[in-house]
Amino acid sequence: MIAGSGKVVRSAVMVNDSPSPITLYSIDVIEADKSLQRLDQGCAADMELKPDESCPVTLVWTPTDAGFISTALSIRHSGPSGFAVIPVRGVAKAGTG
């Protein structure tokens, strides 16, 4: 993500590629920065995804200062691997504050 002086919105898609339904247990930003938030829509805890179903996870980054962000989105689920981790990286050229 690259932010000028505004917010950046990005989505990732969680896809159940297993032959059985899975349940999402939790969706968290690891070491969350208050300028990075997950929108309360799409994927949710306790949601079941049937085989080949998917749901979006949307993050909004509104940096207050110039600088970097480096964290990850963690999705725990009942599937074979038990979790998915999506890296989140960004550079803010200027803040909004």
Side-chain angles (χ1 to χ4, degrees):
M1 292 189 264
I2 298 178
S5 60
K7 69 180 176 181
V8 177
V9 179
R10 294 289 184 267
S11 294
V13 178
M14 177 66 183
V15 179
N16 178 7
D17 62 359
S18 74
S20 302
I22 64 169
T23 300
L24 304 181
Y25 296 134
S26 65
I27 304 161
D28 299 301
V29 177
I30 299 170
E31 295 183 24
D33 179 303
K34 62 183 174 183
S35 66
L36 180 67
Q37 298 184 1
R38 185 176 72 83
L39 294 183
D40 191 19
Q41 62 186 34
C43 293
D46 299 322
M47 176 182 274
E48 181 180 90
L49 292 178
K50 293 180 174 93
D52 298 321
E53 277 191 325
S54 63
C55 60
V57 179
T58 303
L59 298 177
V60 177
W61 184 35
T62 310
T64 56
D65 297 304
F68 299 93
I69 190 168
S70 179
T71 187
L73 180 68
S74 171
I75 304 173
R76 288 189 330 105
H77 58 79
S78 64
S81 69
F83 65 94
V85 177
I86 302 165
V88 177
R89 308 287 183 265
V91 176
K93 295 182 179 183
T96 59

